[in-house]
Amino acid sequence: YKLKNKNDQSNILVILVQVSSRVNYLKVLIDSMRNVRQIEQSLVIFSHDFYNVDMNKLIHSINFCAVII
């Protein structure tokens, strides 16, 4: 889904990630996303139906794009 950025009229890519209980898979995904060109212009939304301390720490450590949990 693309949103319009009111500041510069460019598109913002919104990525929705449904998280499973496997933290190691999430780490691989995040590490690969870190290398995506123009990822800093994206919004990544993480959705999960349980609480896991390690997973939340991993998501909160993302510093290369905007994130919503």
Side-chain angles (χ1 to χ4, degrees):
Y1 184 76
K2 290 186 177 184
L3 295 175
K4 274 292 198 190
N5 183 345
K6 292 181 182 179
N7 296 333
D8 65 9
Q9 299 303 312
S10 63
N11 289 325
I12 299 171
L13 180 65
V14 177
I15 303 167
L16 176 60
V17 177
Q18 176 64 44
V19 179
S20 70
S21 60
R22 296 182 176 154
V23 177
N24 54 335
Y25 287 3
L26 179 61
K27 182 173 180 356
V28 170
L29 172 68
I30 291 171
D31 288 343
S32 67
M33 289 173 57
R34 186 181 314 277
N35 297 316
V36 172
R37 191 182 67 196
Q38 298 181 336
I39 191 70
E40 68 278 357
Q41 298 172 5
S42 300
L43 169 64
V44 181
I45 301 171
F46 290 91
S47 174
H48 51 89
D49 60 356
F50 61 94
Y51 182 80
N52 179 294
V53 173
D54 293 332
M55 181 185 345
N56 283 347
K57 284 181 183 178
L58 186 59
I59 294 171
H60 282 289
S61 72
I62 296 173
N63 59 6
F64 52 84
C65 66
V67 173
I68 296 177
I69 299 176

